[in-house]
Amino acid sequence: MTSTFTLINPATAQPIREIARADVAQTDAAIARAVIAQRAWGSLAPVARADALRAFARVVEAHVEELAQLEVRNSGHPIGSARWEASHVAQVLNFYAGAPERLSGQQIPVAGGLDVTFHEPYGVVGIIVPWNFPMTIASWGFAPALAAGNAVVLKPAELTPLTAIRLGELALDAGLPEGLFTVITGSGSVVGQRFVSHPDVRKVVFTGSTSVGTDVAAGCARELKPVTLELGGKSANIVFADADLEKAAAAAPGAVFDNAGQDCCARSRILVERSVYDRFLELLEPAVQAWRVGDPADEGTDMGPLISASHRSTVAGFLDGANVAFRGAAPEGDGFWFAPTVVLADRADRIAREEVFGPVVAVLPFDDEADAIGLANDTAYGLAGSIWTENLGRAVRVSRGVKSGVLSVNSHSSVRYWTPFGGMKASGLGRELGPDAAEHFTETKNVFFATDA
Ligand code: TXE
């Protein structure tokens, strides 16, 4: 029996639409169709798969505005960000459209014959997507998985399925075969768990909370199924006294308040060398005040609302007893608004250790380079981070010393589809994007051909 769930526009708190909640039988039926579609897709000429993905990219490009508007309504993303995200999906598809013809194996010298390796697709790949970046995170899984010859079943988050549903339709419009890329809406405990337990889903890609990711990995282990995990973060933005402080302070709000802080890469701890701590806070305050929170449909908006009422209460709970230094502004009234907030924290404080996933940043002082590295690493997580310094040797030493998968020096960039992305420690397992992502959706087969007469 199919039930539904109601989507809410986070900027207005008004209902948008009812969405079907798939059950196990419907999930199994989609997986069965994917198995059939994959057989044909996997045996296509590489150039044919490449052409099909380029056609998909072109159709997405032609629908950037529609996809962006859907994301504004469903997720509250500012329109400028939502357009970037929709274009990014097309770029990711175009990039991995180059992969089918580049999935070269090796020829290994063996006496008496010819030894070669092949990159075989897994078959059906299950992708479980969170609500914070519904389109982009989906594409990081489905584009390289399809390029490598797999079929994909994809479950968007319950709160934000609209752009994924539309991408599934656009794939069909672009000519991708029926059943090859199926978007299944439903709950994580039913549809997501079925991806984990179903024997025909041969790899799972999960992005979400560390606790659910750990369960997903345990379930995949029982099935001996590979899994890629992109989980939480508590990334450090390290500002040394020798940095360009004006530039570091001006960039800091974007690094943590982008997408209302609902970003696994959010630099939610700012670590500042003690000798410039006061000066940095003086520079940070006007930058936070200038961060524009408001209607996501407005071109000038930097940050929209939080995703839901319950998430807003969770974020607000982090401010209980916190030493708030200053806050930006946010609209009043309906919608799940939350003003950007800067907190002065001690190392043991909850706000300095747990992922808030909201527009709240903890600022902490440090004493020297060794202390900065130690403090940056004093977390269960290890996803992203930034280092601000004008000293090249220090930039190299600290970037090698911080245990995170994605770091940037004198900038906050984390995601470029042609460079690898992923976390260490409790932030994940495996890497997405970059030149090798399509290969991660294959397993290596070695074949020896005897040539002795
Ligand atoms: O994540 P969940 P939620 C963190 C962030 C956030 C918290 C909770 O702190 O406040 O997690 O978010 C599916 N088997 N991050 O509840 O539950 C679920 O349907 C299989 C950080 O949204 O992990 C959704 O599609 N799948 C993170 C997806 O997993 C299951 C991004 C993520 O849901 C499942 C998101 C199950 N048993 C949240 N249970 C980041 N750092 O980027 C749920 N799902």
Side-chain angles (χ1 to χ4, degrees):
M1 200 187 70
T2 305
S3 61
T4 62
F5 50 97
T6 307
L7 302 186
I8 306 285
N9 180 333
T12 62
Q14 295 304 306
I16 309 172
R17 201 171 128 180
E18 294 294 308
I19 294 289
R21 195 186 282 278
D23 59 17
V24 170
Q26 289 164 324
T27 308
D28 285 359
I31 294 168
R33 286 194 296 274
V35 167
I36 293 166
Q38 192 275 329
R39 284 191 201 123
W41 178 251
S43 52
L44 278 183
V47 67
R49 285 208 305 273
D51 282 345
L53 292 176
R54 282 187 203 105
F56 187 8
R58 280 194 299 276
V59 173
V60 172
E61 261 157 23
H63 290 81
V64 162
E65 189 58 28
E66 182 197 339
L67 288 163
Q69 295 292 350
L70 275 179
E71 208 65 279
V72 170
R73 283 181 69 216
N74 192 176
S75 309
H77 290 196
I79 182 66
S81 310
R83 286 189 186 119
W84 182 91
E85 290 158 25
S87 300
H88 176 89
V89 173
Q91 287 166 337
V92 170
L93 278 165
N94 268 323
F95 182 69
Y96 289 107
E101 294 144 307
R102 292 183 172 86
L103 278 171
S104 312
Q106 290 177 304
Q107 180 270 313
I108 298 169
V110 176
L114 174 71
D115 192 282
V116 289
T117 64
F118 297 91
H119 292 299
E120 303 286 7
Y122 279 107
V124 179
V125 172
I127 300 176
I128 302 169
V129 180
W131 48 258
N132 58 333
F133 288 105
M135 276 188 272
T136 54
I137 291 175
S139 72
W140 302 350
F142 70 68
L146 291 170
N150 300 280
V152 168
V153 285
L154 183 142
K155 193 201 86 62
E158 291 88 322
L159 295 172
T160 58
L162 290 185
T163 47
I165 293 171
R166 191 68 187 120
L167 285 169
E169 294 166 355
L170 295 177
L172 292 175
D173 292 352
L176 258 63
E178 194 86 39
L180 184 70
F181 171 41
T182 308
V183 176
I184 312 169
T185 53
S187 63
S189 56
V190 176
V191 179
Q193 268 306 308
R194 194 57 188 141
F195 291 178
V196 172
S197 66
H198 196 297
D200 286 335
V201 175
R202 293 309 316 148
K203 175 167 179 161
V204 172
V205 177
F206 173 87
T207 306
S209 60
T210 298
S211 61
V212 174
T214 306
D215 284 349
V216 165
C220 287
R222 275 193 294 278
E223 300 291 321
L224 289 179
K225 196 178 284 197
V227 60
T228 301
L229 301 174
E230 298 292 355
L231 308 173
K234 191 73 189 174
S235 297
N237 177 7
I238 309 173
V239 183
F240 285 97
D242 63 23
D244 180 337
L245 290 185
E246 279 75 13
K247 211 169 154 191
V256 58
F257 301 145
D258 189 52
N259 202 24
Q262 304 166 124
D263 182 341
C264 44
C265 295
R267 273 64 164 176
S268 55
R269 291 183 296 156
I270 307 182
L271 316 184
V272 188
E273 193 160 354
R274 206 176 291 276
S275 60
V276 293
Y277 179 80
D278 290 339
R279 175 71 187 135
F280 182 81
L281 284 170
E282 268 170 31
L283 293 166
L284 181 62
E285 185 163 5
V288 171
Q289 303 300 349
W291 188 251
R292 289 158 303 182
V293 184
D295 182 355
D298 259 349
E299 304 275 343
T301 293
D302 293 317
M303 178 182 130
L306 290 168
I307 191 67
S308 66
S310 80
H311 188 54
R312 183 173 58 178
S313 333
T314 308
V315 172
F318 277 93
L319 294 188
D320 290 345
N323 181 9
V324 174
F326 45 85
R327 304 191 74 178
E332 302 279 326
D334 294 340
F336 312 127
W337 304 104
F338 201 92
T341 305
V342 176
V343 171
L344 308 182
D346 288 327
R347 298 180 182 204
D349 291 351
R350 182 175 173 232
I351 195 91
R353 309 195 69 81
E354 293 180 26
E355 183 176 48
V356 179
F357 226 53
V360 180
V361 67
V363 187
L364 299 99
F366 67 83
D367 293 316
D368 56 22
E369 193 177 303
D371 189 36
I373 295 173
L375 184 53
N377 288 337
D378 184 21
T379 167
Y381 296 110
L383 185 50
S386 304
I387 298 145
W388 293 82
T389 175
E390 295 295 302
N391 178 326
L392 178 62
R394 166 170 283 164
V396 173
R397 286 191 300 273
V398 178
S399 57
R400 297 304 301 272
V402 174
K403 288 189 170 48
S404 286
V406 196
L407 290 164
S408 51
V409 175
N410 296 331
S411 90
H412 292 301
S413 69
S414 314
V415 175
R416 294 184 184 87
Y417 54 83
W418 62 100
T419 63
F421 175 79
M424 296 178 177
K425 294 154 63 183
S427 290
L429 209 58
R431 293 291 175 270
E432 298 192 281
L433 299 175
D436 304 325
E439 204 176 307
H440 297 161
F441 288 97
T442 67
E443 39 196 348
T444 301
K445 179 185 283 175
N446 188 77
V447 184
F448 174 70
F449 299 86
T451 50
D452 289 347

